[in-house]
Structures are given as C-alpha cells and as structure tokens.
C-alpha cells in the first residue's frame, strides 16, 4: 500500500520522544541472478540512495546497512556504514528500514516522534529498542520485528515489490514529489497533468533537470518566434501551442529534480531566470504579431512590467497573498491569444489584469510590512 501527500498526513500523534540513535537498513541479499531491491534505480537514484538521503534530511544521525557485498559497497559510497553483526547495539531507539522501502522525511520524523515502539503500516519501517534492532540487524531481516503498535505513514511510504512494481512506484513518487503545494489553478489542473507523462518517461532516463530547464525555455522562445515572425493564421496557432507546451514543460524540470532528489539552488535560479526571458520573448512575439506599431509595443511594455512585477513579488515576499496572474495563467492567456490570432488582446489582458493584480498584492504586502519604529 502506498500513502503519500505533499502535506503531512494524519500520521501518528506527534509526541516528544527520545530521538532515534541510528537507522538500520535491512537490505536483503539479491534473489538468485537478481538485483537486491535496495540497488534498483527508481526515478534516478537507487532505493538505498533514496533511503540514505531521506534519513539524513530527516535528521537521523547515523545510517547502518546490512546486506551483501554489493549493497555494503554502495552504502559506503553513499556515506553510510556497514552494520557489524554480533551487536549488541548501544541502548536507545533505532529505526529499522527494509531495503525495498521508499519513504519521505515526514514519515521518518513522525515515526521517530512517536513515543515507544511503532511500526509503519505502509512500508516496512519500525522504531524499536536496541535489543530488537540488534536481533533484526543480525538476522538482516524484518521477520522478528513485533507487529505493533502500528501507525500510518505521516507522508509518503511504499515498498518496491520487485522489478514489475517499478511503474507503480514511479507514479507514486510523481504523486508525492511532482506537484508543489504552491501550484496555481492552471498549473494544478492543466499543466501538471500534461507534464506528468513526460516526467514519468524522463525519470527512466539519465537526463538532468538543468537540461530540461533549458529545453522548456527553448520551446517557449520557439513559440514566441513562430508567433512573432510567422504571419499566417496557422503559424499563430502553432506558436500558441508551443507557448503552452513550454508552459507545461516548465514543470518537468522541477518534477524530475524533486523525484530524483536532485533539486538545487543553481537549478532554481536557472529556472526562474530563463522563465523571465521566456516571458519577455512571448510578449515581444505577440507585439510583433499585432503589427509592431508603437501602441502594440506600449501594451507589450505594460504587460512585461506586470509579468516581471508579479514574479518579483514571489521573490521578495514569498508569503504574499495569492497572486492571480501567475506565470501559468499569463502564458496560457498568451497562448490562447496567439492561437486565436488575437495577439493584441493577449497583451491587453496581461497588462491590465497583471498590473492590477501586482498593485493589489503589493498594496497588501506594504500595508503588512513593519514601518519605522
Ligand atoms: N533545473 C532545475 C529546475 C528546477 N529545480 C527545482 O524545481 C523548482 C521549480 O519547480 P517546477 O519546475 O515544478 O515549477 P516552477 O516553479 O518552474 O513553476 C512552473 C511555472 O513556471 C509554469 O508556468 C507552470 O506551468 C508549471 O506547471 C510550473 O508551475 C525550482 O524552484 C527548483 O527547486 C531544480 O532544482 N533544478
Ligand atoms: O508564477 P510567477 O511567480 O510569475 O513566476 C514563477 C517564479 O516566481 C518562480 O520563481 C519560478 O520558479 C517559477 O517557475 C515561475 O517563473
């Protein structure tokens, strides 16, 4: 069973408890001729790499791994340590992790915060005492771990049930890491459904998120050029389709980055910077398609000001009130205006509604900002 949400789920009651001393990943030896579940790649990293990365981000101080030579070699390369059989482990609480379990930090923290022993109902994860942990680590198996008390995963947790289960797990990972809680309506109900199949395909390849950021930028700019220089009704339609494709594809880089645990500050900066240039290119394309007269460029300038200011608000006041003309909406408006051969209307809508929206939000942000003492 899989549970997963971008927000903490019902989870176990958060109680103050002694932190876990370490996590022990019980990575079974591979089946004959097979590969241990821990070394199967899902969405980029191996299951073991995911576990070690998530455990670290959840604040688990140390990760021990049991398993065959290949697993232990991989674990050492990932910064974990091989469990030395024979114990006993020092007194304390330990998080046991099955080698084929996938989970998020929310689930780890929730289990660790649960007072006493607890076992997750959605994947083989359990917080146990030192004696139980020693026995399980020596056996390299979850078999002897008590069945209860039980608690659902507070966030995301599932188990990879063999190579045939990869498709389901990839989809579960997209569900957990693809959409962002801050997604706007167009993004959530139009763009994410469009980017999902592309992301699910790309996570099976070794394409980095930065390359995908550049690709979505180029698609949007290509759409702007076709709109601006095409001059025919069908080039306007094609350009509009490319602009919306670039809009939707702009979510693929982030989805691939989050699913592959490859999000980076550099990528975020590249993404937001190229978005600004793509936005300006699209507006320039519409101005050219409208005739390139002074009035067209004035509308384009006003639309560009709104576009940049709305994004700027997100940068300087991320907790500002919800902005209506966010990029997903603006690019959809531009795409529709191009496809319908109404380029000037696209500029007017973005300029008028965008500047009103920017002034509305800026007004609220400034009113809430502390003044001089
Ligand atoms: N090379 C990269 C690229 C991105 N990241 C990380 O991902 C986020 C960006 O997340 P995402 O790509 O999911 O969404 P984004 O903020 O780009 O918003 C787009 C809108 O621009 C677009 O209009 C809309 O249609 C689309 O659906 C999205 O909402 C980035 O901040 C990084 O944390 C990375 O690490 N490396
Ligand atoms: O929706 P919006 O705020 O105008 O523009 C957004 C930026 O604020 C954000 O930094 C970036 O990651 C998004 O891709 C999008 O470009």
């Amino acid at each position: 069973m899989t549970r997963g949400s971008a927000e903490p789920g019902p989870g176990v009651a958060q109680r103050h408890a002694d932190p876990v001393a370490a996590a022990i990943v019980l990575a079974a030896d591979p089946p004959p001729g097979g590969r241990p579940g821990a070394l199967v790649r899902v969405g980029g990293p191996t299951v073991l790499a995911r576990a070690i990365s998530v455990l670290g981000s959840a604040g688990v101080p140390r990760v021990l791994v049991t398993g065959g030579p290949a697993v232990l070699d991989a674990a050492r390369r990932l910064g974990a340590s091989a469990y030395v059989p024979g114990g006993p482990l020092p007194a304390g609480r330990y998080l046991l992790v099955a080698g084929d379990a996938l989970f998020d930090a929310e689930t780890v923290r929730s289990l660790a915060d649960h007072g006493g022993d607890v076992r997750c109902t959605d994947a083989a994860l359990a917080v146990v005492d030192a004696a139980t942990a020693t026995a399980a680590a020596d056996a390299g198996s979850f078999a002897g771990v008590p069945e209860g008390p039980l608690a659902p995963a507070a966030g995301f947790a599932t188990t990879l049930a063999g190579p045939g289960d990869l498709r389901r797990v990839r989809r579960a990972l997209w569900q957990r890491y693809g959409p962002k809680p801050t997604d706007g309506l167009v993004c959530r109900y139009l763009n994410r459904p469009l980017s999902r199949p592309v992301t699910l395909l790309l996570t099976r390849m070794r394409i980095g998120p930065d390359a995908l950021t550049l690709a979505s930028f180029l698609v949007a700019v290509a759409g702007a050029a076709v709109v601006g220089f095409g001059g025919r009704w069908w080039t306007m339609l094609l350009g509009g389709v490319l602009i919306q494709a670039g809009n939707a594809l702009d979510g693929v880089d982030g989805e691939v980055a989050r699913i592959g645990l490859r999000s980076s500050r550099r990528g975020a900066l590249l993404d937001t910077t190229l978005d600004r240039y793509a936005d300006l290119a699209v507006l320039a394309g519409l101005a050219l398609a409208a005739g390139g007269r002074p009035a067209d460029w004035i509308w384009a300038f006003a639309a560009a000001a709104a576009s940049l200011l709305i994004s700027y608000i997100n940068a300087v006041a991320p907790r500002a009130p919800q902005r209506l003309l966010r990029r997903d909406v603006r690019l959809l408006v531009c795409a529709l205006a191009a496809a319908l051969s109404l380029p000037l209307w696209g500029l007017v809508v973005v300029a008028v509604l965008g500047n009103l929206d920017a002034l509305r939000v800026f007004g609220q942000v400034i009113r809430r900002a502390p003044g001089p003492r």
Side-chain angles (χ1 to χ4, degrees), residues 63-287:
V63 179
L64 302 173
V65 179
T66 72
V71 167
L72 297 181
D73 183 45
R76 290 188 189 96
R77 288 201 304 274
L78 291 162
S81 309
Y83 170 77
V84 177
L89 288 164
R93 304 172 76 224
Y94 290 83
L95 174 65
L96 294 178
V97 178
D100 51 11
L102 298 99
F103 48 89
D104 65 358
E106 187 73 30
T107 296
V108 173
R109 284 190 287 265
S110 176
L111 290 171
D113 288 349
H114 188 277
D117 292 1
V118 62
R119 181 160 180 167
C120 179
T121 55
D122 300 294
L125 300 168
V127 175
V128 298
D129 61 22
T132 305
T134 301
D138 286 342
S141 161
F142 240 85
V145 177
E147 275 302 322
L150 297 173
F156 166 77
T158 194
T159 298
L160 176 65
D165 195 27
L166 281 170
R167 185 169 182 267
R168 178 193 68 82
V169 171
R170 284 195 196 100
R171 290 164 181 267
L173 286 170
W174 187 91
Q175 198 58 43
R176 167 61 184 82
Y177 294 105
K180 298 193 300 186
T182 56
D183 282 348
L185 292 179
V186 170
C187 175
R188 181 172 307 155
Y189 296 110
L190 175 60
N191 294 341
R192 290 296 183 196
L194 293 173
S195 58
R196 179 173 179 270
V198 179
T199 297
L200 288 174
L201 175 66
L202 292 175
T203 49
R204 302 175 62 174
M205 307 174 185
R206 306 299 301 275
I207 300 177
D210 290 359
L212 298 172
T213 300
L214 183 60
S216 67
F217 164 73
L218 292 176
V219 169
V221 170
V226 169
V227 166
F229 299 107
R232 310 289 295 272
W233 69 269
W234 62 270
T235 56
M236 293 293 285
L237 178 61
L238 173 62
V241 170
L242 286 172
I243 291 169
Q244 177 49 25
N247 192 8
L249 290 174
D250 192 52
V252 171
D253 52 0
E255 292 164 19
V256 168
R258 288 186 292 276
I259 289 170
L261 304 180
R262 299 176 69 179
S263 293
S264 69
R265 180 66 181 145
R266 182 190 70 185
L269 290 172
L270 179 68
D271 178 55
T272 195
T273 303
L274 290 182
D275 282 355
R276 306 292 69 83
Y277 281 104
D279 292 351
L280 295 176
V282 167
L283 297 173
L286 290 177

Side-chain angles (χ1 to χ4, degrees), residues 250 271-272 275-276 307 310-311 314 323 326-327 330:
D250 192 52
D271 178 55
T272 195
D275 282 355
R276 306 292 69 83
S307 179
I310 287 172
S311 304
N314 187 45
R323 296 158 299 138
R326 294 175 57 181
R327 185 172 192 263
R330 297 195 305 269

